[in-house]
Amino acid sequence: MTAACRESSLLFHAADGSELPLLIFEPGAGKPPRAGIVLFHGGALREGSPDGLAPHCRQLASRGILAGSAGYRLLGRGAVSIDDCIADVRWAIDQFARVAAVRGLEASHLASGGSSAGAHLAAVAAMTPPATTAAPTAGTAALVALNPAGSNLRSFEPAAQRRLERQVGIAPGRLIEYSLVELVRPGNPPMQIHHGTRDEVEPIDSVRQFRDAMVRSGNECVLIEYEQARHGFHYPDDSRHFDDVLDAMALFLLDRLATR
């Protein structure tokens, strides 16, 4: 913990009632935050933890942004399918909003996002209604996606689609329901995407197709491309890009969400 950032943690209830971690990072020296964002880690829905995006949250907090990094049940470790992961993301966003409200931030000042699979989960939660009336609506005023997965799942060959459906625990034929480009509607939250042109997990062309679909629907969607960068390029051990990514994230969040 540094003078520029205060850190704390809490547990929130997942969709099945189990407890999951939510790490909180806020501006130091008693300064009130001007905007907020809760992030979700990557790891193909089977690995990872909130600690993975803690460096990003610290940097955002030092720039006056309340930042959270939340867990969700992983496949094989509490989650049966991707639907469980999405449900947990909704509850995490709801809990983060409660934390933010205590610090003077309304829903209109809050964003969500994440890295890779976590970015995909946050986007699906923000762009679709909850599966049940008991689940909270994932209210978010903006999205930030770091090398997101699942931009255009229709581009996969049928055999690859069936394999992915088995991997994420959904019935045959359902994969396209989780393809971000299929979820685009007028009124989607403004979105900033960071992606490498040599991403080996999610081709840059799929992300460009999603960006173009968002723009055609009248939504704001800014894609920042990093030449020759591969998947996971935005972590602090990649000194070429970490600072640039965080500078752009902070500028986007403060420009669109900051309290006046």
Side-chain angles (χ1 to χ4, degrees):
M1 180 167 59
T2 68
C5 174
R6 292 184 293 158
E7 301 180 23
S8 59
S9 64
L10 56 87
L11 296 174
F12 71 95
H13 287 106
D16 69 344
S18 61
E19 293 185 326
L20 293 170
L22 173 60
L23 310 181
I24 300 294
F25 304 79
E26 51 192 310
K31 296 180 180 178
R34 299 180 58 209
I37 185 170
V38 57
L39 298 173
F40 300 91
H41 63 83
L45 305 183
R46 294 183 179 275
E47 300 178 343
S49 76
D51 291 333
L53 293 174
H56 303 68
C57 291
R58 291 188 184 100
Q59 288 296 318
L60 292 172
S62 72
R63 290 162 167 81
I65 297 167
L66 177 70
S69 184
Y72 51 90
R73 285 172 294 161
L74 301 174
L75 296 176
R77 285 186 275 175
V80 175
S81 75
I82 187 175
D83 293 323
D84 294 331
C85 304
I86 295 169
D88 291 349
V89 163
R90 293 184 185 280
W91 284 105
I93 291 172
D94 183 72
Q95 180 60 54
F96 181 74
R98 296 172 187 269
V99 171
V102 174
R103 290 154 177 81
L105 293 176
E106 298 179 354
S108 59
H109 303 302
L110 303 180
S112 61
S115 174
S116 192
H120 177 254
L121 295 175
V124 172
M127 298 170 73
T128 61
T132 69
T133 56
T137 300
T140 184
L143 286 161
V144 177
L146 307 175
N147 47 241
S151 299
N152 186 0
L153 296 172
R154 198 180 289 276
S155 65
F156 285 75
E157 294 293 331
Q161 291 186 25
R162 301 295 86 77
R163 184 168 59 252
L164 280 171
E165 287 167 344
R166 290 192 297 271
Q167 290 174 353
V168 302
I170 56 176
R174 287 196 62 205
L175 188 70
I176 303 306
E177 297 176 24
Y178 304 86
S179 180
L180 298 186
V181 73
E182 306 291 336
L183 305 180
V184 173
R185 302 288 186 276
N188 288 143
M191 190 170 186
Q192 183 187 69
I193 306 173
H194 299 257
H195 213 82
T197 61
R198 294 188 64 195
D199 193 305
E200 69 279 16
V201 174
E202 184 77 3
I204 186 65
D205 284 345
S206 292
V207 183
R208 289 168 179 162
Q209 291 164 10
F210 170 72
R211 183 270 317 275
D212 293 345
M214 286 281 283
V215 172
R216 285 195 301 270
S217 291
N219 301 309
E220 178 187 2
C221 187
V222 178
L223 170 59
I224 303 175
E225 298 186 10
Y226 296 80
E227 289 298 324
Q228 303 301 310
R230 303 181 76 87
H231 203 68
F233 70 93
H234 56 82
Y235 288 98
D237 54 0
D238 188 337
S239 59
R240 295 171 297 167
H241 299 301
F242 179 71
D243 289 339
D244 289 341
V245 169
L246 269 296
D247 286 344
M249 284 180 66
L251 183 62
F252 174 77
L253 294 170
L254 291 173
D255 183 59
R256 286 149 185 83
L257 306 179
T259 57
R260 303 300 179 187

